[in-house]
């Protein structure tokens, strides 16, 4: 990949004033506290800046990657050699008008849930404990309590790779369990119109408190992590239970590879005990998948994503890329980490 020249950087600083950072230690900004150095991170403050940056990249055929607060991402130990657009607090405006809510993609999700509660709206309680941006939440169709944000979406505004503005209605967003079209269409989400339902503020507040209390009790909070590693599979859930239970039954709780550990509190979380590398996490994921498949016949699917040094984003269990661990032996061979 070609390095950015001084002239390139000067132009990027004009397109994204006050939002250009060089040589950023990804371990210091990512939620898992893992990753090498990113050459350049751009934090735009408007959808117009996102469009201008993407057009600039497009004209130079320069690959780049878009992230939110990195709460679902594992960065490569080799860092990031392509520019990274981080859509965060500089694009965090929210406007509530009756039951209609406009929010920019960098909106902090727990803050949005509190704003909905204060406005007397219900339907957003399930997102109150999810530590990401609205853009990341929409891309992942994230949620809790068996819900996804997609059910509250009216339209999503994005910028395509040529720098053109797109507006998609909910039916064009391809929402399914932890999925949306934005995981594959190379658009950067800049804002969304959402709709909620009038509710009783006190009831909404009580529901949010209950959800947060349950999460505090169930999920590891002290060590850096990226939430649930594996998606729940309905057939497996009915037969065996959620991924965490299957993983726990196989004795993985507390298993470590380097600085990465299967959380002793919840087996579907991998925590960074200090100094974990991406390859440690990937090795644990591969070992868990292998052993669960051998024991149950079900193939777990990762929920989080891996960001390679070239900016490729793929599921954490994304297969045979060069910085992924080698395939595990067959079920007859030695299994486990
Ligand atoms: C402690 C903890 C608990 C969690 N609990 C939950 C939970 O209950 N439910 C749940 O669903 N998730 C949960 N997560 C995962 C994560 O918080 C969500 O997936 C979140 O929505 C990701 O938002 P983000 O801004 O951090 O996105 P990132 O992690 O930065 O990115 C995630 C994906 O979205 C893409 N993306 C991000 N922003 C944009 C944008 N503006 N335009 C286009 N694509 C974009 C990225 O390219 C990437 O593919 C949890 C994570 C942690 C650390």
């Amino acid at each position: 990949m070609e390095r950015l020249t001084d002239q390139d950087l000067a132009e990027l600083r004009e397109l994204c004033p006050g939002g250009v950072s060089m040589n950023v230690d990804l371990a210091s900004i990512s939620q898992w506290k893992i990753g090498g150095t990113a050459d350049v991170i751009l934090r735009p403050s408007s959808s117009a800046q996102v469009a201008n940056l993407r057009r600039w990249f497009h004209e130079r055929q320069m690959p780049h990657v878009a992230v939110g607060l990195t709460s679902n991402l594992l960065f490569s130990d080799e860092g990031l050699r392509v520019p990274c657009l981080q859509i965060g607090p500089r694009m965090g405006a929210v406007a509530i008008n009756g039951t209609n809510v406009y929010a920019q993609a960098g909106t902090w999700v727990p803050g949005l849930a509190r704003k909905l509660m204060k406005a007397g709206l219900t339907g957003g309680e399930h997102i109150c404990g999810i530590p990401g941006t609205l853009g990341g939440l929409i891309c992942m169709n994230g949620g809790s309590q068996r819900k996804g944000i997609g059910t509250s979406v009216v339209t999503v505004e994005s910028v395509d790779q040529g720098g053109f503005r797109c507006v998609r209605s909910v039916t064009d967003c391809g929402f399914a369990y932890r999925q949306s079209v934005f995981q594959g269409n190379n658009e950067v989400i800049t804002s969304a119109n959402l709709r909620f339902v009038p509710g009783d503020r006190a009831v909404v507040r009580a529901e949010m408190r209950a959800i947060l209390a349950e999460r505090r009790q169930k999920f590891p909070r002290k060590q850096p992590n990226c939430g649930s590693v594996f998606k729940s599979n309905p057939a497996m859930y009915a037969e065996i239970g959620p991924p965490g239970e299957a993983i726990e039954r196989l004795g993985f709780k507390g298993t470590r590879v380097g600085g990465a550990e299967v959380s002793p509190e919840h087996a579907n979380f991998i925590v960074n005990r200090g100094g974990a590398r991406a390859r440690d996490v990937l090795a644990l994921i591969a070992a868990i998948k292998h052993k669960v498949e051998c024991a149950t016949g079900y193939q777990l699917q990762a929920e989080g994503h891996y960001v390679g040094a070239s900016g490729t984003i793929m599921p954490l269990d994304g297969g045979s890329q060069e910085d992924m661990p080698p395939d595990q032996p067959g079920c007859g061979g030695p299994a486990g980490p």
Side-chain angles (χ1 to χ4, degrees), residues 189-203:
I189 299 163
T190 50
S191 66
N193 287 295
L194 310 169
R195 189 170 296 133
F196 295 91
V197 178
D200 181 320
R201 201 178 301 170
V203 174

Side-chain angles (χ1 to χ4, degrees), residues 71 76 84 123 133 135 238 292:
S71 64
S76 149
C84 176
T133 62
V292 168

Side-chain angles (χ1 to χ4, degrees), residues 31 65-73 75 86-87 105-106 109 126 129-145 147 178 182-183 187-190 215 219-220 225-228 269 303 305 307 313:
Q31 304 259 331
V65 67
V67 305
L69 279 180
T70 75
S71 64
N72 219 21
L73 293 178
F75 288 103
Q86 185 169 37
I87 311 295
V109 168
H126 70 105
I130 301 179
T133 62
L134 180 64
L137 191 74
I138 290 172
C139 179
M140 297 304 300
N141 192 18
S144 72
Q145 318 283 304
K147 297 185 182 120
R178 302 294 175 255
F182 302 103
Q183 288 173 27
E187 290 174 17
V188 176
I189 299 163
T190 50
R215 291 173 72 93
F219 300 158
N225 66 77
C226 258
S228 300
F269 283 65
E303 182 171 319
H305 286 85
V307 187
I313 298 189

Side-chain angles (χ1 to χ4, degrees), residues 3-13 56 60 62:
R3 291 278 167 145
L4 293 168
T5 63
D6 288 347
Q7 172 67 26
D8 289 337
L9 285 168
E11 289 180 21
L12 288 173
R13 285 196 179 99
W56 190 91
R60 287 154 187 79
M62 191 179 285

